[in-house]
Every structure is written in C-alpha cells, then in structure tokens.
Amino acid sequence: MLTIKNLHASVDGKEILRGIDLTVNPGEIHAIMGPNGAGKSTLSNVLAGREGYEITQGEVIYKGENLLELEPEERAQRGVFLAFQYPVEIPGVSNVYLLKAALNAVRKYQGLEEVDAMDFLTLVREKMKLVKMNEEFLHRNVNEGFSGGEKKRNEILQMAVLEPALAILDETDSGLDIDALRTVSEGVNALRAEDRSIVMITHYQRLLDHIVPDFVHVLSEGRIVKSGDKELAKELEKSGYSWIHDAPEGETA
Amino acid sequence: MTEQSQQLEAITQKEYKAGFVTDIEVDSLPPGLNEDVVRQISLIKNEPEWMLEWRLKAFRHWLTMETPEWAHVHYPAIDYQEISYYSAPKKKTDGPKSLDEVDPELLKTYEKLGVPLDERARLAGVAVDAVFDSVSVSNTFKDKLAEEGILFMPISEAIQEHPELVKKYIGSVVPHKDNFYAALNSAVFTDGSFVYIPKGVRCPMELSTYFRINAANTGQFERTLIIADDDAYVSYLEGCTAPMRDENQLHAAVVELVAMDRAEIKYSTVQNWYPGDENGKGGIYNFVTKRAACRGESSKVSWTQVETGSAITWKYPSVVLQGDNSVGEFYSVAVTNNMQQADTGTKMIHLGKNTSSTIISKGISAGRSQNAYRGLVRIGPNAENARNYTECDSLLMSDTCGAHTFPYIEVKNPTAKVEHEASTSKISEDQLFYCKQRGLDAEDAVSMIVNGFCKQVIRELPMEFAVEAQNLLGLSLEGSVG
C-alpha cells in the first residue's frame, strides 16, 4: 500500500523530517505518536501534497506509484485521504455540495459515471449514521460554525463517503470531549477494512484505547525512533516522551 | 511564483467565449457627434417632434458638461467624434414580422450566445427582446403578453405607439442633466426596451433582453424604461456580451424603473462584455446609469447584478425610496481580472417613512485588476424609521490586484438605523488545499469557493440565470490565486 523510504523534508530550509522509513500494508492501522515538533503534521502534509514542503531526499511509493510526483487532487482521486487536524471553513458552500463534488471527482478518475442526486442522498444518509450526524448537517456550510467535535465527525463522514484506500488521520482526537471521541472512533472502526489502511497521527494514547492499532511508531526529531505494538503506546503514556530519548535507538518498522 | 499560483494563473487565462463577430450588412452613421447626428438618429427612428426636442435639449446640455473623474478608474480620454452613433443590421424589407424573417446569421449569433430566441424560449418561458447593436431585432411573445395588457417592445416602437406613457416617464428617474453619460445617452440613444405592466398584473414570465455589441467603433446607447403600475410585478433579465476587438468600445446605457403603489420590479443583469485581453488591450467601457424610483407606497425594487466583463465598469444601480414602506435591494457580484477596472455600487435614497434597503456587494479581484465598491445611503429628514443594512465583502485572488470600499452615509433623521459591515479576505491556500485533498482540481476548487462567497447574490437570480452566472464566475477567475 504505502512505502516510505528515507524521507527527508524541509520547511523554509529547516529540515523537519530526517529520514522516515515506514511500510503500511493493506488493512493495517498504524499509529504515529510523538511530542510536539516531532514532525507528525509535516509527515501527514507531505503525504497529502500540501505546498510549502521541500522533499530533499527519499521516496514515497503508494500502490506502485511515486506519490510525491502527484498533485494533491491526483493523490485524493487515487484514494489518499487526509482527515485534517484543523478542518477548513468554506462559507457559502454546503456540506452536501462539497461531498458530492468530491465523490464525483473520485468516481471520474475511476472511470465511473457521476452519481445522481437521489442515489447520492441515499448513500450519504447511510454514512451519516456512522458518525451520528443528522440531515440538517448536510445543508450547513462546510465547517462554518461547527463545534470542534462536529468538524472532526464531518471529516470522518467525508472519509466514509469517499472510501479511501489510505486514510491519514491527523490529530483526529484533538479538541474532542470523551463522547465525541467515542463517536468519531466508532466511525473509524466501522470503516476498518481489509483493503483499507489507516495511519493515525496523535499526541495522546487515549485515542488508541478506542481505535486499536496494529503498530505504534514513535516519531522524534524527524525520525521514527521506536516501533512496536499497542503496548508501546501504554509505556509512553506511563513514562512520557522523554523516556524515548533515554532509550537505545529503536528499530524501524 | 508558487505552483498553486501558477495553476491559478493558467486557469485565469481563459479565452473570451462570446468573442466572435457576426458578418452581416449594417447601416450606420459615419463617426462624429453634432446636432445633425442627433437629428438624423431621430429621423431614422421616425420620431415625433417632442422626442427630437428632448434629445436636442439633452445634447446641448451635454456640451456644457465634463467627463466625471471621481471614479477609481483610469483610461485615456474618449474622443466622442470618433464614435459612430448608429449601427443597425440592414433591413431587407420593413423589418422582420416574425422569427422566420430575422437574418439567419443573426439568429446563429444568438444561438452561439445561448439566447433562447426560438421555440426553446417558449418552453423556458422567457420572452426575449434582443438588441443587436442598436436596434431591437425580434420581440418574442408579444402577443401572449399583450393578452395581459403588458407592453414589452423596443423603446423606439413605444415612442410611436405609446407616446403618452414614454413622454410621462422617460427622464423622470434619470433626468438628462443627471450626469455626463446620461446626457449623452439621452441625446443619441438608439434603442432599448420598454415595459409597462398594468395595474394588478403579475407578468407571467421573465422578460429578457440580450444586448450585444457587434459592429466596430460603435457605441451602444440603449435606453430602457420599465414601469410597474399599482400592484404589478415583473422580473426582468438583461444579459450582455460583445465580440473581441482591439479598440475600446463605449457602452453608455440608461435604465429607468418606476414602481407605483405596492408594485415590485426585479431587475437582474449578467454582464459579460468583452473585458479586453490580459494586457488591457480592447474591451468595453461600460458607463451605465441605472436608477429606480419606488414612487408608490410599499413598492419594491431589487437590482441583482453579476458583472464579470468590461474593461471598465462604472455603474451604480440605485433606488429612490419615495413611497412610504418602500423597499430597495441591491445584490452585486463584481469580478475583475487581468487589467479590468470596476467602480460599482449603489445609492439608496430614503425619502419616505419606514423605508428599508439592503445592500449586499461581493467584489472579487484577480490579476492586476482594480475593484471598488462605492455606495451611498442617504436618509432624508422625513424618512422616519428608515433602515439600511449594507454588507461589502472583497475577495482577493492575487497580490497585485486592488479592492477598495467607498461607503458614504448621510443621515438626516434621528430615527434611522444604518448598519454597515465590510470585510476583505484573500482566497486561502488552506481552502484550496482542502478542496484539492478531496479530489477537486484547482479550477473546480476556485470556482466552488468563489461561488460560495457569492451565494447571497446568486440565489437572488432567476434559476436559469443563476446557472449561467455560476459558470461565468468559474470562467472569469480560472487560475487566479497568488
């Protein structure tokens, strides 16, 4: 699914990612944890293709293609989805309009016909149940006036509709109270599938109580310094990130 | 230049789609302007003496006036002696009696423009009075409208057939002394539309005029007069295009609306005149005076405009709220790209009691263009409990464009409530990236964001116009974020 090899990336000449290696197979959930400034958001932005990052070394292969050569929309059309840490407001554009345009863009790439309005509504209503959203939500402007929890649920709704092969969840748990966290997690769990990989980026262990990962990686100063299973996250929770620096260099996944 | 701005650049460099020239024989006057030209126009139109006198009065006054220079636009002085003031497709007989008799070349032109002049129009319920250069070519559905007592015809015809109505109302909202271009128009206007909706009649279809400037070096001076009598209602659509030419062409129209007691007029414009090329060569000078009088009590006038074309736009559709409880509305989207300049807005003049007005203006600037909102809200001393709400939002698509807001507020009655909100924002890279990450390409993303920004205005347009406006917005801005 996704192979990252020796990835180096800089912002304004400052190196943030300093040699990331990671392999994600279909159906796997990987959690990437780390302290602030470790490069977590940079990694998700580089994978999604946001401007302003310079790739200085390394490569990213997604389904056999060089991901870094593709435009952001081409990545999206091929099934790379980023759930934003800070979902963006688009005044005057209804949620349902964006969802439909996005789904049709993906379908167009897949050589499928545009979905008609009735089929689309049926589909969206089904998906909305996953994140416990009501219909009124569809007709509000994209993320405008949404609470923190609503924004994150909206991201998961988009993921549910677009059915990506690779979903990158960037701090999806940040700013959520426990009920909202549970709703969002249930939504993500319902979207687990054999042919879908999920990379979760988070600062806190608590998300992993709800969405149990197959692998946990610790990112520090632009490198993955330790990899393990979900127990690694528990150790981190207990000892904090400073423990990582005292530990010997960990092997990478 | 970032990759994103390059993409936006590429999208903005779209071609002007209506830029074709129709090859038909035309009758025109040689360039130049003097009293003889005014007399000749009047003669060609077979006008009564009072109309000629009216024109001459305007012309003589115009001679004493100077070009207004207060607008935030720059252009070389116009030589009014180089313009031809009359251009009409050559008539084979006495003019077309039905669509079959209209020059097929002309019909093809309208077809290219997507004007529903033929049978499709009937289905769409649109009555079209198409103004090609200066003469109304064909007027559909006249009979159906006549059953309701509605008059919808070229103003030149109305001058012949309904002189009492024209005489009563023409110049009553925009007097010839009003401004330089209004005076010029009053002297040399060649055609335009005339609408009269009798008492108590709701016009059963949208009335539509499609203006198109075809001949080179002609000005288009059309004059539109719409009267809605007591309890009448009409929705009027105006669309404008022009072929691509290297020279600048002048368009100085006057539109007058009169709403009597409890009458309502909706006037919608989608203006797509040729804006000139990316270096500012060519394009239409659109210097237009549009004004409505809410004469009757509880009358209402709404102006909705989507302005994407013209090299220079100078226009302030206004409402004079004379009748008590009358309502004025102005919804505007003005898009400027490349070297375009727009100075547009409205005037809401509150004279009657309990009058209210709403102004929603959305300015979008790209390239090296300049986009100004200029608006006046005046509350007169007798306008008890007048209300105004104004919202002006500007969206910048590049670092080299300009957005300006010039709001003027004059309140002479202490019971007035006037609100003004303004914002300026740059189209955000975050919004664009968000849309792209969902699979939309840059073009669609820009179009979606801009249409969202303009939604408050677009939704005021009749459905078929709204779709056209949305497409135009996308086209006009393709590739313009920096």
Side-chain angles (χ1 to χ4, degrees):
Chain A
M1 181 72 74
L2 180 74
T3 310
I4 304 175
K5 282 186 195 154
N6 191 32
L7 182 65
H8 290 250
S10 315
V11 178
D12 298 331
K14 187 176 177 236
E15 191 168 57
I16 309 287
L17 300 185
R18 301 193 291 177
I20 301 262
D21 290 279
L22 179 68
T23 299
V24 179
N25 294 309
E28 290 176 355
I29 296 194
H30 291 244
I32 295 180
M33 305 185 66
N36 292 331
K40 300 192 299 290
S41 282
T42 298
L43 178 60
S44 59
N45 284 330
V46 165
L47 291 178
R50 191 192 279 265
E51 255 186 61
Y53 298 90
E54 196 196 344
I55 313 298
T56 48
Q57 267 189 75
E59 63 176 8
V60 179
I61 304 298
Y62 166 75
K63 289 187 171 177
E65 271 188 288
N66 182 350
L67 191 69
L68 301 177
E69 279 181 358
L70 300 175
E71 293 294 323
E73 63 271 26
E74 293 172 325
R75 302 181 197 196
Q77 289 157 9
R78 284 161 175 75
V80 177
F81 179 91
L82 173 64
F84 283 64
Q85 182 179 2
Y86 303 109
V88 180
E89 296 183 5
I90 311 180
V93 176
S94 71
N95 228 355
V96 68
Y97 189 86
L98 174 66
L99 271 174
K100 187 156 176 263
L103 180 62
N104 280 331
V106 171
R107 287 176 66 90
K108 193 174 165 195
Y109 171 76
Q110 292 169 340
L112 299 171
E113 272 182 34
E114 288 203 353
V115 62
D116 80 62
M118 285 316 292
D119 291 347
F120 179 70
L121 268 183
T122 311
L123 172 80
V124 171
R125 286 191 182 123
E126 197 55 42
K127 303 291 187 186
M128 285 174 78
K129 288 182 196 156
L130 291 178
V131 281
K132 300 195 170 80
M133 281 160 97
N134 60 28
E135 185 113 8
E136 169 252 351
F137 230 76
L138 287 179
H139 304 289
R140 286 167 62 184
N141 292 335
V142 177
N143 293 318
E144 203 178 36
F146 283 25
S147 70
E150 285 173 331
K151 283 184 181 174
K152 297 298 172 79
R153 270 149 72 194
N154 201 26
E155 294 294 290
I156 303 308
L157 173 65
Q158 292 176 357
M159 174 178 163
V161 169
L162 297 175
E163 303 186 322
L166 173 66
I168 302 154
L169 311 183
D170 190 2
E171 309 252 358
T172 292
D173 53 328
S174 69
L176 295 187
D177 63 31
I178 189 67
D179 291 329
L181 179 63
R182 191 171 290 132
T183 307
V184 165
S185 305
E186 281 168 8
V188 173
N189 284 328
L191 292 170
R192 290 183 86 145
E194 273 179 22
D195 55 356
R196 177 170 300 133
S197 309
I198 297 175
V199 175
M200 284 191 293
I201 287 170
T202 180
H203 191 86
Y204 299 105
Q205 194 270 336
R206 66 169 191 166
L207 176 65
L208 311 189
D209 289 338
H210 297 273
I211 308 171
V212 182
D214 301 301
F215 301 94
V216 175
H217 311 277
V218 180
L219 190 65
S220 177
E221 292 172 358
R223 284 193 199 93
I224 288 177
V225 293
K226 198 159 180 63
S227 294
D229 60 14
K230 61 184 179 184
E231 296 307 316
L232 176 57
K234 296 221 167 91
E235 272 177 71
L236 283 173
E237 176 82 350
K238 210 161 58 194
S239 325
Y241 285 112
S242 58
W243 159 78
I244 288 300
H245 299 292
D246 306 329
E249 188 87 348
E251 77 260 21
T252 51
Chain B
M1 192 184 277
T2 62
E3 201 182 329
Q4 198 141 28
S5 60
Q6 275 170 351
Q7 276 180 353
L8 283 156
E9 184 92 14
I11 320 175
T12 348
Q13 303 309 322
K14 53 93 192 180
E15 275 180 69
Y16 182 68
K17 284 203 172 167
F20 50 86
V21 178
T22 307
D23 193 12
I24 46 170
E25 285 185 85
V26 293
D27 270 327
S28 50
L29 288 176
L33 182 56
N34 51 48
E35 282 204 13
D36 282 345
V37 169
V38 176
R39 285 173 197 281
Q40 258 179 316
I41 290 171
S42 190
L43 187 68
I44 294 170
K45 295 284 177 187
N46 194 26
E47 285 176 352
E49 188 64 23
W50 64 265
M51 196 69 239
L52 173 63
E53 286 307 318
W54 193 83
R55 287 176 181 273
L56 288 172
K57 212 159 85 186
F59 178 71
R60 286 168 197 148
H61 186 76
W62 178 74
L63 289 175
T64 69
M65 299 176 92
E66 284 179 18
T67 316
E69 279 170 359
W70 44 262
H72 192 80
V73 295
H74 303 278
Y75 56 96
I78 298 170
D79 184 346
Y80 292 92
Q81 298 305 330
E82 275 188 1
I83 298 171
S84 165
Y85 290 83
Y86 186 77
S87 158
K90 227 172 210 164
K91 288 178 187 174
K92 295 204 171 95
T93 54
D94 275 329
K97 300 266 187 306
S98 74
L99 269 181
D100 304 338
E101 292 178 34
V102 173
D103 189 328
E105 281 288 313
L106 252 179
L107 289 181
K108 257 189 249 166
T109 302
Y110 288 121
E111 219 174 281
K112 278 190 222 171
L113 289 169
V115 182
L117 197 67
D118 56 6
E119 196 58 30
R120 283 172 303 163
R122 201 181 301 272
L123 295 171
V126 179
V128 180
D129 176 14
V131 176
F132 194 91
D133 285 12
S134 315
V135 171
S136 273
V137 177
S138 147
N139 207 310
T140 47
F141 305 115
K142 220 160 134 183
D143 298 343
K144 184 159 195 295
L145 293 170
E147 283 169 29
E148 304 265 3
I150 294 168
L151 307 175
F152 178 38
M153 58 181 64
I155 197 160
S156 52
E157 243 176 86
I159 291 168
Q160 311 280 347
E161 294 176 22
H162 304 279
E164 71 300 339
L165 281 174
V166 177
K167 212 169 171 176
K168 182 171 173 191
Y169 291 106
I170 195 168
S172 75
V173 187
V174 181
H176 69 266
K177 289 185 178 171
D178 190 80
N179 68 72
F180 185 83
Y181 301 108
L184 179 62
N185 173 287
S186 301
V188 301
F189 76 89
T190 40
D191 224 324
S193 294
F194 174 82
V195 177
Y196 175 79
I197 315 287
K199 284 183 185 171
V201 172
R202 274 187 78 85
C203 185
M205 59 183 82
E206 315 267 358
L207 299 183
S208 166
T209 306
Y210 224 94
F211 291 106
R212 179 171 167 82
I213 296 179
N214 193 55
N217 294 318
T218 49
Q220 180 148 346
F221 303 93
E222 85 274 346
R223 181 117 197 162
T224 295
L225 177 57
I226 300 176
I227 302 135
D229 216 325
D230 297 350
D231 302 291
Y233 167 85
V234 63
S235 168
Y236 188 89
L237 319 178
E238 170 197 58
C240 321
T241 56
M244 288 156 74
R245 296 192 187 278
D246 287 345
E247 325 81 60
N248 295 105
Q249 282 177 283
L250 177 62
H251 175 253
V254 171
V255 176
E256 296 178 280
L257 313 183
V258 179
M260 306 307 283
D261 287 349
R262 298 167 302 279
E264 181 177 352
I265 302 175
K266 267 178 86 77
Y267 193 104
S268 311
T269 305
V270 172
Q271 186 264 115
N272 182 30
W273 297 118
Y274 179 51
D277 69 9
E278 68 276 14
N279 298 313
K281 193 169 182 181
I284 302 289
Y285 291 165
N286 190 30
F287 301 154
V288 174
T289 306
K290 289 184 167 173
R291 194 174 305 153
C294 278
R295 281 210 184 133
E297 56 100 0
S298 304
S299 55
K300 181 178 177 185
V301 170
S302 287
W303 295 102
T304 305
Q305 59 173 21
V306 174
E307 305 273 326
T308 63
S310 294
I312 301 177
T313 298
W314 179 96
K315 122 177 202 197
Y316 316 89
S318 305
V319 185
V320 181
L321 298 153
Q322 290 165 276
D324 291 347
N325 309 308
S326 59
V327 177
E329 293 175 340
F330 175 73
Y331 299 97
S332 169
V333 172
V335 180
T336 53
N337 198 356
N338 296 318
M339 299 293 282
Q340 279 176 278
Q341 307 173 59
D343 193 300
T344 184
T346 184
K347 287 188 274 187
M348 292 292 176
I349 313 293
H350 292 252
L351 302 175
K353 296 182 176 59
N354 303 313
T355 47
S356 68
S357 60
T358 304
I359 300 171
I360 308 286
S361 164
K362 305 280 181 178
I364 300 161
S365 339
R368 288 170 289 162
S369 68
Q370 295 292 327
N371 199 328
Y373 167 80
R374 186 183 304 274
L376 168 67
V377 176
R378 179 183 289 155
I379 313 282
N382 300 322
E384 297 285 323
N385 298 313
R387 298 277 178 277
N388 165 264
Y389 174 75
T390 299
E391 187 182 324
C392 295
D393 299 315
S394 304
L395 187 65
L396 305 177
M397 311 282 283
S398 76
D399 296 326
T400 46
C401 60
H404 316 270
T405 305
F406 305 100
Y408 306 86
I409 300 173
E410 299 171 17
V411 179
K412 296 202 173 107
N413 185 305
T415 60
K417 272 197 185 149
V418 177
E419 290 175 74
H420 182 97
E421 288 182 24
S423 76
T424 301
S425 53
K426 202 162 172 247
I427 190 165
S428 92
E429 305 249 331
D430 285 347
Q431 286 175 336
L432 282 173
F433 178 64
Y434 191 71
C435 294
K436 288 183 185 179
Q437 215 302 308
R438 296 301 179 251
L440 276 66
D441 62 28
E443 237 172 81
D444 290 345
V446 170
S447 177
M448 179 184 280
I449 293 165
V450 168
N451 271 299
F453 175 74
C454 301
K455 193 185 205 172
Q456 279 167 287
V457 175
I458 303 284
R459 71 176 174 207
E460 295 295 326
L461 290 171
M463 184 65 94
E464 58 278 32
F465 244 35
V467 173
E468 186 184 338
Q470 280 175 335
N471 293 336
L472 260 184
L473 284 180
L475 282 175
S476 303
L477 284 167
E478 285 180 342
S480 41
V481 179

